[in-house]
Amino acid sequence: MIELFNYNHSHIFASFNFEEAKILNDEIRKINKLDLYKNNILVFDNVEEKTRTFSHLFSEDLAGLHKKTNILYNCNDVYDNTKYYMDRIYLNSEYQHFNTLYEKIICEEFLVRYKKAVDQDKLKTLIKDFKIYKEFKKDKLTKLGKVLFAFALGLSCYSNIIMYINLDKKILDLLIDIDILEYINNNSFGITLIINCNADLNQDKLKQYLNHKRIMDYVHFLKIKEVKQ
Amino acid sequence: MKRKTNYLIFLLFQLVLGFIIIIFLKDSSDHIKNILLYIVGCLLPLNLLKEINEYKRVKTDLSFGLAQSEIRKRINKFLRRDFLISIILFLLFLLMHSLVNSFNTNIYILLTSIVILLTCGFTYSIIINIYLSFKLR
């Protein structure tokens, strides 16, 4: 059972009790509270291929995309919960949602279709800072471009973010290069990063970067040994 | 605003297309063939299939803040609207057809055509809803 609830009308917490959930691993059970209004990083070690599927599904479960996940928000299921959907945006960094980088169109779309505000100037600055135009060819973003754009969009949006990243060596180097943690910590909304580490990734480098900053509210490295189907 | 303009341009295009078909079939005496051609040729498929982008955007909508029931409601609203416009346009074409062919259509042809339109519309609506239940499961 995972429960998300309002705390002092300003915070959403996720309380985890994985007894009934899919995972049987002790490490996963260590997570017992998650505040979606703060910055959280959950790093899934990709020892086995199934971890990737799990971390991806976990991010989608948390975003309320699947039925019967035992995740609750104000005592109601997060699935098809309009209030919960208004409080968060879910970004999968492997997916391209827009065929344009023109910030005016993106902001208008968010406002008209989703009734959510995006800081247009901030989005423009971040697209420029992250040099996303370099990664945009023939209406398609490259793999790196998708990650950078997800960050740019998430950080400009006046909403809490749940984000899934499939992290490899190249992406990690790039994120360290632009010092993404600095941007995340300067953001006034919470960001929950669900990171899946690829086998080629040097995890020490990631740990070193996260420890060096010492500013994240919650960082957890998780290794899944067994997944109950 | 842009969406509304696009929609009006689309309707205008359909009217012109329908009128071209009517002129083209002016001398044809087979009414059922004519009417089937109006339906299959330009009205229903064009009106309903133009919402295909809505179905493609389900993943994005879910990510950015539209809940499953809202998406379903939104798409069904579009389906109903397009279907209604299809019927109105069809009746308009039928009227034009009658005028061009000196009022020689009869009630039987009109009813048959509406039944065909309704069947097509409902079948399409059912297919889309089955597709949505898979997408939004």
Side-chain angles (χ1 to χ4, degrees):
Chain A
M1 174 75 77
I2 303 171
E3 192 175 359
L4 308 169
F5 53 93
N6 274 341
Y7 181 73
N8 288 341
H9 305 290
S10 60
H11 288 243
I12 305 167
F13 282 96
S15 299
F16 299 84
N17 176 3
F18 284 103
E19 291 296 328
E20 294 172 27
K22 298 168 193 163
I23 311 163
L24 294 172
N25 195 293
D26 286 342
E27 274 191 78
I28 304 290
R29 286 186 186 143
K30 281 179 198 166
I31 319 168
N32 51 25
K33 205 158 83 173
L34 195 64
D35 184 346
L36 297 186
Y37 268 75
K38 289 188 175 177
N39 297 327
N40 310 287
I41 298 184
L42 301 175
V43 185
F44 287 89
D45 189 1
N46 190 18
V47 179
E48 292 172 48
E49 193 56 41
K50 63 188 173 191
T51 319
R52 184 179 176 194
T53 318
F54 178 78
S55 52
H56 187 214
L57 279 176
F58 178 79
S59 66
E60 290 193 343
D61 284 353
L62 204 60
L65 303 195
H66 301 299
K67 268 181 192 168
K68 294 173 188 169
T69 51
N70 282 332
I71 303 176
L72 302 175
Y73 170 72
N74 283 347
C75 301
N76 295 314
D77 204 325
V78 286
Y79 177 79
D80 198 18
N81 188 333
T82 316
K83 281 182 185 168
Y84 179 64
Y85 274 67
M86 281 308 286
D87 266 345
R88 65 98 181 113
I89 65 164
Y90 170 65
L91 295 161
N92 181 349
S93 64
E94 290 182 317
Y95 190 76
Q96 186 179 338
H97 294 286
F98 290 101
N99 293 328
T100 177
L101 292 182
Y102 189 38
E103 66 286 344
K104 200 180 164 190
I105 294 175
I106 296 167
C107 294
E108 209 175 275
E109 178 88 356
F110 260 84
L111 203 63
V112 174
R113 199 174 172 99
Y114 308 112
K115 313 273 181 295
K116 281 181 179 172
V118 177
D119 188 335
Q120 196 174 319
D121 296 332
K122 192 173 179 185
L123 182 61
K124 193 178 178 180
T125 316
L126 288 176
I127 287 173
K128 205 176 162 189
D129 285 359
F130 295 167
K131 296 176 184 127
I132 300 176
Y133 276 105
K134 276 186 183 173
E135 306 289 336
F136 192 67
K137 283 155 198 161
K138 290 177 190 168
D139 284 358
K140 290 257 161 71
L141 281 163
T142 61
K143 198 176 162 189
L144 290 175
K146 284 177 193 167
V147 178
L148 291 173
F149 184 73
F151 271 110
L153 185 62
L155 293 168
S156 332
C157 195
Y158 293 108
S159 199
N160 298 299
I161 308 149
I162 297 167
M163 188 167 163
Y164 170 79
I165 311 175
N166 187 25
L167 199 65
D168 60 20
K169 190 178 173 295
K170 217 173 167 184
I171 297 173
L172 178 66
D173 288 343
L174 185 77
L175 293 179
I176 293 176
D177 199 36
I178 58 171
D179 200 0
I180 195 70
L181 284 186
E182 204 58 49
Y183 285 98
I184 290 173
N185 282 289
N186 290 334
N187 192 32
S188 34
F189 287 88
I191 175 164
T192 301
L193 286 182
I194 292 142
I195 297 174
N196 184 77
C197 289
N198 270 2
D200 72 325
L201 186 85
N202 179 5
Q203 266 204 36
D204 290 338
K205 198 173 180 182
L206 176 65
K207 281 180 186 167
Q208 204 182 349
Y209 178 59
L210 292 171
N211 286 335
H212 170 66
K213 286 286 166 184
R214 286 186 183 279
I215 36 181
M216 298 306 292
D217 298 309
Y218 184 91
V219 181
H220 211 116
F221 282 82
L222 305 158
K223 198 177 275 184
I224 299 172
K225 289 169 194 159
E226 197 177 348
V227 179
K228 200 199 266 179
Q229 295 299 324
Chain B
M1 194 63 203
K2 197 184 165 195
R3 196 184 158 84
K4 277 181 186 163
T5 319
N6 285 347
Y7 200 79
L8 283 174
I9 293 170
F10 182 77
L11 283 181
L12 199 69
F13 166 74
Q14 271 188 290
L15 274 170
V16 172
L17 192 66
F19 197 69
I20 290 168
I21 290 178
I22 288 167
I23 299 294
F24 183 69
L25 295 170
K26 188 174 175 283
D27 300 325
S28 168
S29 56
D30 191 344
H31 295 302
I32 295 190
K33 192 183 86 186
N34 293 355
I35 287 158
L36 274 175
L37 265 171
Y38 298 154
I39 299 167
V40 179
C42 68
L43 293 173
L44 202 65
L46 279 181
N47 255 332
L48 296 178
L49 289 176
K50 78 180 173 47
E51 297 298 348
I52 208 112
N53 274 341
E54 288 292 324
Y55 318 135
K56 279 189 198 162
R57 297 207 47 157
V58 167
K59 210 171 176 178
T60 307
D61 287 345
L62 285 173
S63 301
F64 292 160
L66 281 186
Q68 283 81 349
S69 55
E70 286 177 300
I71 296 173
R72 216 181 271 276
K73 223 184 279 174
R74 189 186 170 92
I75 288 179
N76 278 325
K77 194 179 102 186
F78 286 141
L79 274 180
R80 272 198 301 274
R81 185 196 62 189
D82 291 338
F83 190 50
L84 190 73
I85 287 175
S86 289
I87 289 184
I88 292 169
L89 275 176
F90 173 72
L91 291 174
L92 197 70
F93 287 159
L94 207 69
L95 184 72
M96 283 199 277
H97 174 89
S98 306
L99 289 172
V100 170
N101 289 297
S102 322
F103 295 98
N104 59 0
T105 37
N106 60 35
I107 194 79
Y108 171 76
I109 292 168
L110 179 76
L111 287 175
T112 318
S113 312
I114 289 178
V115 168
I116 293 166
L117 260 175
L118 284 169
T119 316
C120 292
F122 285 126
T123 313
Y124 186 79
S125 171
I126 290 163
I127 291 168
I128 289 305
N129 276 295
I130 292 170
Y131 167 80
L132 282 179
S133 8
F134 276 106
K135 272 264 183 184
L136 303 172
R137 70 189 186 275

